[in-house]
């Protein structure tokens, strides 16, 4: 049997090189990264469309002839993978062994001068990339040439090129040792205009994160405009409304600091902010001293950050240490008179801010302080790689529950390491990270960190809006407008159509108040439509489902009766249990019993009479409610009890389905909590009802579960929409609706009631007050 070798078409090099880089700027950045990996202190790029050439100069370690033959000329070498640290302990940015083919993306010919410190002469390596287009050629047919230059040092060659373009040789002052590499690319494949070069300069500004003291300086020059560019300085963001800094260690412990810079703290006191419920409930986050300090701090773990996540594949341990710095900058607003009254914004130059965001905005990903493109790159498909835009569609309004930030208002720096995050593999193109479960989990962790900021801003702004509405009597404006409108109608009917300026002003204020309230109701309506659709589906099939429920239990009993007359009972005894049809039917009957309970519960929840506004006998309602849930919870080994106090007759004016929404959501959450790993063996749910002539119906709901997840610092966050601890066990992505407690609070608010958390862990307890009829 003959053995035949594989070979590779020469065209493969073209696929790896020219077709593997999205644009010429990306190819240049790839070659700059090679200069960094070679421990160079400088990287110089000269673009000359006039003479049709690009020069890339560095003072790195250079290459020997043996290194060129054994590494540079081998496609896909694992040199950087096996040896990730440079001589100067830099973590190398490359690992695929294909970065050199970026040269082919830029031009069809290349001359490379390179020298190590120990070598006596400079090596000249040359290649004509067009040879790879030769029909039927294999990779081994293509040759590069290797020669030695005549006596010049590598620094001298570099200075000659700088002199040719009248550039200051002082940029080479730190290049003292005779070693380095110069790449000269000719027959350029792109038309280089001022716009392209400016875009490249902006990308180089973002190549390393701000505030990093770098020993690697990049310079860009253009023959079209020699004085326009020069040394590349990384951009610094010092204008922000919010800044969030998160640091995660290798053990999964994460520290989050949130810096507030949007509001004038001194004015918050005068508005009454520090006397509000939000401050009394969470003083460690919203207290006066915290605002004066300028930031609050949270210490948790990655697992605590994504409650409900089950790390079945140990993806969490593959995350490793990382740093995340996030900035929020609103692009306008806050200048209107009413806005200033509501929110004491600091003065901002929005024109300059928007200009900066348009150029540098987006969340950038860095590995070992070198940018991984194209994440967060403006005008690219990967600008919003965390899908913040999709989240913002849920609710981009900060004064409504569940606020989500828009991607165009953000700037961020995520820094990972090749050594500490080994599961984050480059794509072959070196543009991006391979999408796997670990990287998906990482993205969801970043989103949860951003959620800390979103929740804080949401809580602060909703509180300020509530204070403003109370102080400015929005409800009074509405009532006064109604009264004036009625008076005007009465006057018109009597033939008097005159309207005073005062009346007009009152009506305008009322209309605006109604309009603002209408916007709030529209947002709520969008959410309720989704829930209503699910209810309509159940209602549509109510008749069929009722028939199914009625026939579930009799069908298995009938089947057993028929089989007992056909099958020899003695023969059944010889069968193992897993093959005994009678035992299998019993198992089916048990499942049918559970299904019947669920169907009866679902059909009962959407009965038409439950949707009717009427006077409800609370005593009678509680008897039915206890009877329904007892049968379900007993099977789950949960002790359930309702204590009615001493009242014998109390009426609630409203919809029965609203009472169901309140109490069913509470029970459902408790049942979920009992299934958590940190739950104890004691499983109890208890309602305590009391009636007071002054305060109305008072309800204490309590369970013996583990309580809220430990990472939930602000307990009132559970009343916001889309807050859920149900997660995809592989990626950590939220899969629960997060609407249960929001619906509960919304219903209570609609009846002018209150709900207050009185115990959050261990165990869970809320106090509810509802008006009695």
């Amino acid at each position: 049997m003959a053995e035949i070798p594989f070979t590779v078409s020469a065209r493969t090099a073209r696929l790896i090189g020219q077709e593997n880089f999205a644009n010429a700027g990306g190819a240049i950045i790839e070659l700059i990264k090679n200069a960094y990996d070679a421990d160079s202190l400088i990287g110089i790029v000269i673009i000359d469309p006039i003479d049709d050439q690009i020069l890339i100069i560095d003072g790195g370690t250079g290459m020997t002839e043996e290194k060129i033959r054994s590494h540079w000329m081998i496609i896909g070498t694992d040199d950087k993978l096996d040896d990730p640290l440079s001589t100067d302990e830099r973590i190398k940015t490359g690992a695929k062994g294909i970065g050199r083919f970026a040269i082919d993306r830029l031009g069809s010919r290349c001359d490379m001068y390179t020298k190590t410190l120990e070598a006596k002469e400079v090596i000249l390596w040359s290649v004509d990339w067009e040879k790879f287009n030769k029909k039927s050629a294999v990779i081994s047919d293509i040759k590069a040439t290797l020669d030695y230059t005549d006596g010049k040092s590598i620094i001298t060659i570099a200075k000659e090129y700088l002199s040719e373009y009248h550039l200051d040789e002082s940029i080479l002052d730190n290049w003292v040792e005779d070693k380095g590499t110069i790449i000269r690319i000719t027959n350029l494949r792109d038309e280089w205009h001022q716009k392209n070069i400016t875009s490249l300069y902006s990308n180089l500004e973002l190549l390393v994160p701000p505030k990093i003291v770098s020993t690697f300086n990049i310079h860009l020059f253009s023959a079209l405009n020699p004085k326009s560019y020069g040394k590349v300085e990384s951009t610094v963001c010092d204008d922000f409304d919010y800044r969030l800094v998160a640091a995660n260690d290798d053990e999964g412990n994460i520290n989050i600091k949130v810096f507030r810079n949007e509001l004038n703290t001194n004015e918050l006191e005068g508005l009454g902010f520090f006397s509000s419920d939000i401050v009394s409930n969470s003083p460690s986050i919203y207290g006066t001293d915290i605002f004066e300090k300028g930031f609050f701090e949270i210490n948790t773990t990655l697992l605590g950050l994504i409650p409900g996540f089950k790390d079945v594949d140990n993806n969490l341990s593959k995350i490793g240490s990382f740093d995340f710095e996030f900035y929020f900058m609103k692009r306008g607003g806050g200048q209107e008179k009413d806005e200033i009254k509501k929110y004491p914004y600091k003065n901002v130059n929005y024109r300059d801010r928007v200009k900066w965001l348009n150029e540098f905005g987006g969340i950038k990903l860095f590995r070992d302080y070198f940018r991984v493109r194209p994440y967060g790159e403006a005008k690219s498909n990967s600008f919003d790689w965390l899908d913040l835009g999709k989240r913002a569609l849920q609710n981009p309004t900060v004064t409504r529950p569940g606020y989500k930030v828009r991607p165009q208002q953000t700037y961020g720096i995520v820094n990972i390491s090749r050594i500490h995050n080994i599961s984050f593999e480059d794509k072959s193109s070196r543009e991006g990270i391979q999408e796997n479960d670990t990287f998906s989990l990482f993205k969801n962790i970043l989103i949860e960190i951003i959620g800390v900021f979103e929740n804080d801003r949401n809580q602060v702004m909703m509180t300020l809006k509530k204070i403003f509405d109370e102080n400015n009597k929005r409800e009074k404006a509405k009532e006064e407008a109604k009264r004036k409108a009625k008076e005007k109608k009465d006057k018109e009917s009597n033939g008097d159509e005159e309207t005073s300026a005062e009346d007009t002003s009152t009506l305008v204020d009322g209309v605006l108040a109604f309009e603002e309230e209408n916007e709030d109701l529209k947002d709520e309506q969008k959410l309720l439509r989704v829930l209503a659709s699910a209810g309509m589906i159940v209602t549509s099939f109510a008749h069929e489902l009722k028939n199914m429920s009625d026939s579930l239990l009799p069908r298995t009993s009938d089947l057993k009766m028929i089989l007992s007359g056909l099958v020899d009972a003695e023969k059944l005894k010889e069968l193992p249990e897993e093959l005994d049809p009678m035992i299998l039917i019993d198992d089916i009957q048990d499942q049918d019993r559970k299904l019947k309970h669920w169907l009866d519960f679902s059909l009962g929840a959407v009965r038409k009479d439950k949707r009717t506004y009427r006077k409800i006998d609370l005593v009678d309602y509680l008897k039915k409610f206890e009877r329904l849930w007892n049968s379900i919870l007993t099977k789950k080994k949960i002790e359930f009890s309702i204590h009615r106090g001493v009242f014998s007759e109390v009426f609630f004016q409203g919809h029965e389905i609203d009472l169901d929404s309140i109490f069913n959501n509470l029970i459902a959450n408790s049942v979920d909590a009992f299934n958590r790993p940190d739950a104890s063996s004691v499983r109890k749910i208890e309602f305590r009802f009391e009636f007071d002539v002054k305060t109305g119906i008072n309800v204490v709901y309590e369970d013996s579960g583990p309580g809220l997840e430990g990472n939930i610092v602000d307990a009132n966050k559970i009343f916001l929409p889309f807050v859920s601890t149900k997660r995809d066990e592989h990626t950590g992505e939220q899969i629960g609706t997060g609407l249960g407690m929001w619906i509960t609070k919304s219903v209570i608010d609609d009846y002018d009631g209150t709900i207050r958390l009185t115990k959050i862990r261990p165990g869970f307890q809320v106090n509810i007050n509802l008006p009695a009829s």
Side-chain angles (χ1 to χ4, degrees):
M1 178 171 33
E3 292 185 342
I4 57 175
F6 282 98
T7 189
V8 179
S9 164
R11 182 173 172 272
T12 303
R14 180 55 46 88
L15 295 174
I16 294 173
Q18 185 176 338
E19 297 181 15
N20 210 23
F21 291 90
N23 53 56
I28 287 178
I29 287 173
E30 190 64 35
L31 296 172
I32 286 292
K33 287 181 179 181
N34 282 347
Y36 176 84
D37 290 347
D39 286 331
S40 178
L41 299 178
I42 58 171
I44 302 171
V45 180
I46 302 173
I47 299 177
D48 183 1
I50 301 169
D51 285 345
D52 198 27
Q53 66 178 1
I54 291 175
L55 293 162
I56 298 171
I57 303 169
D58 75 68
T61 53
M63 287 185 286
T64 62
E65 180 177 340
E66 191 278 331
K67 186 86 169 180
I68 292 173
R69 291 179 182 274
S70 61
H71 291 90
W72 182 256
M73 293 293 291
I74 296 178
I75 300 172
T77 178
D78 53 9
D79 172 44
K80 292 183 181 180
L81 187 64
D82 294 340
D83 186 14
L85 294 178
S86 70
T87 305
D88 288 347
E89 299 297 310
R90 289 180 181 176
I91 301 174
K92 297 175 182 177
T93 63
K96 296 295 183 184
I98 59 174
R100 70 217 58 173
F101 286 94
I103 298 170
D104 179 31
R105 172 64 183 82
L106 297 170
S108 62
R109 289 193 59 85
C110 174
D111 295 317
M112 179 178 72
Y113 301 87
T114 185
K115 182 184 181 297
T116 61
L117 187 60
E118 296 79 14
K120 294 181 179 180
E121 295 179 282
V122 176
I123 296 174
L124 173 59
W125 176 89
S126 301
V127 68
D128 180 359
W129 296 107
E130 294 305 310
K131 291 180 180 179
F132 289 86
N133 287 331
K134 186 178 179 181
K135 190 175 180 179
S136 303
V138 295
I139 196 73
S140 57
D141 292 337
I142 311 303
K143 311 293 183 184
T145 62
L146 195 66
D147 202 354
Y148 287 88
T149 61
D150 187 16
K152 288 183 182 178
S153 71
I154 193 77
I155 298 178
T156 300
I157 298 173
K159 287 181 177 180
E160 287 176 353
Y161 278 123
L162 293 184
S163 176
E164 182 180 332
Y165 290 99
H166 307 289
L167 300 176
D168 189 350
E169 293 183 5
S170 64
I171 62 175
L172 304 179
D173 284 350
N174 292 328
W175 188 357
V176 294
E177 295 182 317
D178 190 26
K179 58 184 177 64
T181 300
I182 301 170
I183 296 175
R184 177 174 176 263
I185 304 166
T186 55
N187 295 348
L188 303 182
R189 301 189 189 280
D190 295 87
E191 293 284 339
W192 284 92
H193 304 291
Q194 200 71 23
K195 182 179 178 181
N196 311 73
I197 301 170
T198 300
S199 176
L200 173 61
Y201 188 81
S202 295
N203 281 324
L204 290 172
E205 285 181 294
L206 296 167
L207 190 58
V208 294
K211 302 177 185 176
I212 296 300
V213 179
S214 178
T215 56
F216 181 61
N217 295 312
I218 304 171
H219 301 262
L220 174 65
F221 300 100
S222 165
L224 295 176
N225 195 341
K227 296 181 180 180
S228 290
Y229 306 105
K231 185 178 179 181
V232 178
E233 301 285 359
S234 61
T235 182
V236 176
C237 179
D238 55 7
D239 169 35
F240 59 88
D241 292 319
Y242 267 84
R243 174 174 171 247
L244 182 149
V245 179
N248 179 64
D249 63 22
D250 283 330
E251 303 301 318
N253 301 305
I254 186 164
N255 171 266
I256 302 172
K257 290 181 181 177
V258 179
F259 296 82
R260 302 179 176 112
N261 192 45
E262 187 171 13
L263 305 173
N264 287 304
T265 303
N266 295 335
E267 295 183 32
L268 291 177
E269 181 70 49
L271 291 172
F273 176 83
F274 296 113
S275 303
S276 62
D277 291 341
I278 189 177
V279 178
S280 58
N281 290 336
S282 305
S284 62
I285 296 178
Y286 303 107
T288 310
D289 56 330
I290 302 299
F291 268 84
E292 288 176 350
K293 187 168 67 171
F295 72 93
F296 67 90
E297 191 170 5
I298 295 173
N299 288 294
T300 183
T301 63
L302 291 184
L303 198 56
L305 195 66
I306 44 176
F309 172 63
K310 297 179 178 63
D311 194 12
V312 294
D313 292 333
N314 297 318
N315 286 324
L316 213 57
S317 63
K318 300 173 186 176
I319 297 297
S321 61
F322 67 86
D323 299 309
F324 181 28
E325 193 163 355
F326 172 86
Y327 295 82
F328 163 74
M329 292 167 277
K330 60 180 180 293
R331 299 172 72 97
Q335 305 301 313
E336 299 295 329
K337 187 176 180 181
D338 287 344
E339 286 283 292
I340 295 171
K341 288 181 181 178
K342 288 182 189 177
Y343 317 112
Y345 292 125
K346 291 183 177 180
N347 290 325
V348 173
N349 185 331
Y350 287 110
R351 181 180 177 183
D352 289 349
R353 176 184 280 188
V354 169
K355 183 179 178 182
W356 191 92
L357 278 171
N358 288 342
E359 188 170 356
F360 300 111
I363 296 173
K364 322 293 183 184
L365 179 63
F366 294 83
R367 178 153 52 195
D368 300 306
Y369 303 108
F370 248 92
R371 186 166 159 224
V372 181
R373 299 178 67 247
Y375 300 110
E377 191 166 301
K379 300 178 182 177
S380 77
N381 292 332
S382 298
F383 171 75
D384 185 21
W385 58 286
L386 293 178
D387 285 336
L388 298 181
K390 290 181 181 178
R391 293 171 72 251
L393 290 175
Q394 295 176 353
N395 187 4
T397 308
V398 71
T399 53
R400 292 175 190 140
Y403 155 71
K404 308 297 181 188
V405 67
R406 296 182 180 95
Q408 294 82 5
Q409 300 170 317
T410 67
Y411 168 70
I413 303 160
V414 184
N415 191 50
I416 59 177
S417 170
R418 184 178 300 282
I419 292 177
H420 298 288
N421 309 99
I422 57 176
S423 295
F424 296 167
E425 289 284 340
D426 283 333
K427 292 179 180 177
S428 295
S429 64
R430 298 285 300 278
E431 297 224 340
I433 306 292
Q434 292 180 20
E435 293 287 339
N436 53 32
D437 285 345
T438 305
F439 191 61
S440 295
L441 174 60
F442 180 62
K443 290 195 289 187
N444 282 308
I445 288 170
L446 296 179
I447 289 170
E448 289 300 319
I449 295 172
I450 293 171
V452 174
F453 140 74
E454 289 172 329
N455 179 60
D456 181 73
R457 186 168 187 253
N458 191 207
Q459 293 292 311
V460 170
M461 294 303 186
M462 284 199 305
T463 301
L464 289 172
K465 182 177 183 295
K466 183 179 179 181
I467 291 171
F468 177 82
D469 289 344
E470 289 174 352
N471 291 342
N472 290 272
K473 309 299 182 187
R474 186 172 78 171
E475 292 303 316
K476 274 193 173 182
K478 287 159 55 181
E479 291 302 320
E480 187 67 12
K482 287 180 185 177
R483 188 180 67 80
K484 290 289 185 183
K486 187 175 183 303
E487 286 180 2
K488 186 177 187 310
K489 187 175 181 181
D490 291 341
K491 287 178 180 178
E492 288 175 351
S493 64
N494 295 326
D496 183 2
E497 299 182 5
E498 291 184 11
T499 303
S500 69
E502 182 185 351
D503 289 345
T504 302
S505 176
T506 301
L507 290 169
V508 168
D509 290 342
V511 168
L512 292 175
F514 277 115
E515 186 176 302
E516 190 172 350
E517 182 180 60
N518 189 43
E519 288 300 315
D520 293 342
L521 292 174
K522 280 181 181 178
D523 282 344
E524 188 171 321
Q525 186 184 49
K526 290 174 186 176
L527 295 176
L528 295 178
R529 279 177 186 158
V530 178
L531 302 174
S533 298
M536 287 172 63
I537 292 170
V538 176
T539 306
S540 300
F541 294 96
H543 180 72
E544 291 80 357
L545 292 173
K546 183 69 172 64
N547 291 339
M548 184 189 297
S549 175
D550 292 340
S551 63
L552 278 174
L553 298 184
R555 67 180 183 177
T556 45
S557 299
D558 292 345
L559 183 59
K560 285 185 69 173
M561 183 180 67
I562 294 170
L563 285 176
S564 63
L566 299 174
V567 180
D568 187 344
E570 293 302 318
K571 286 187 177 181
L572 288 178
K573 293 178 181 179
E574 299 173 4
L575 295 172
E577 286 189 358
E578 63 269 19
L579 297 179
D580 188 332
M582 296 301 183
I583 295 176
L584 293 176
I585 291 172
D586 286 339
D587 291 340
I588 294 171
Q589 193 170 43
D590 186 53
Q591 295 297 322
D592 283 354
R593 192 175 290 110
K594 293 177 182 178
L595 180 57
K596 178 175 171 57
H597 279 303
W598 180 87
L599 285 171
D600 290 344
F601 179 83
S602 300
L603 292 171
V606 295
R607 283 202 328 263
K608 187 175 181 179
D609 62 317
K610 286 201 172 193
R611 304 195 297 273
T612 304
Y613 191 85
R614 59 189 176 87
K615 189 178 286 188
I616 300 167
D617 184 336
L618 192 63
V619 176
D620 182 57
Y621 171 82
L622 291 176
K623 286 179 182 177
K624 294 176 183 177
F625 187 82
E626 185 175 22
R627 188 163 56 246
L628 172 66
W629 274 106
N630 244 328
S631 60
I632 296 173
L633 296 177
T634 299
K635 292 179 174 58
K636 294 181 175 292
K637 299 181 180 179
I638 298 172
E639 185 181 327
F640 178 62
S641 59
I642 295 180
H643 303 283
R644 295 174 184 79
V646 296
F647 62 85
S648 59
E649 187 179 74
V650 173
F651 290 93
F652 171 78
Q653 188 79 21
H655 299 88
E656 187 175 336
I657 199 169
D658 286 338
L659 290 176
D660 289 346
S661 294
I662 297 170
F663 303 136
N664 290 343
N665 276 316
L666 290 170
I667 292 175
N669 283 347
S670 294
V671 172
D672 281 342
F674 287 138
N675 294 326
R676 278 168 37 194
D678 56 341
S680 69
S681 58
V682 180
R683 296 157 69 93
K684 291 183 179 180
I685 293 176
E686 182 179 88
F687 280 99
R688 296 193 295 277
F689 287 81
E690 295 290 344
F691 172 68
D692 186 279
V693 177
K694 294 181 179 178
T695 59
I697 302 164
N698 297 307
V699 185
V700 176
Y701 174 85
E702 185 172 11
D703 72 41
S704 62
L708 300 186
E709 297 280 356
N711 75 297
I712 300 178
V713 180
D714 181 9
N716 290 294
K717 182 179 179 181
I718 66 171
F719 294 124
L720 299 176
F722 313 115
V723 175
S724 173
T725 59
K726 295 177 182 177
R727 304 271 172 181
D728 182 283
E729 60 186 19
H730 296 287
T731 66
E733 185 176 358
Q734 182 176 302
I735 54 177
T737 63
L739 294 173
M741 291 304 291
W742 172 75
I743 291 172
T744 298
K745 188 175 187 306
S746 296
V747 171
I748 293 170
D749 288 345
D750 283 345
Y751 287 99
D752 293 325
T754 60
I755 180 169
R756 183 165 52 90
L757 291 166
T758 49
K759 188 177 183 182
I760 58 173
R761 70 177 76 87
F764 179 77
Q765 185 185 84
V766 292
N767 282 16
I768 299 170
N769 175 263
L770 292 168
S773 172

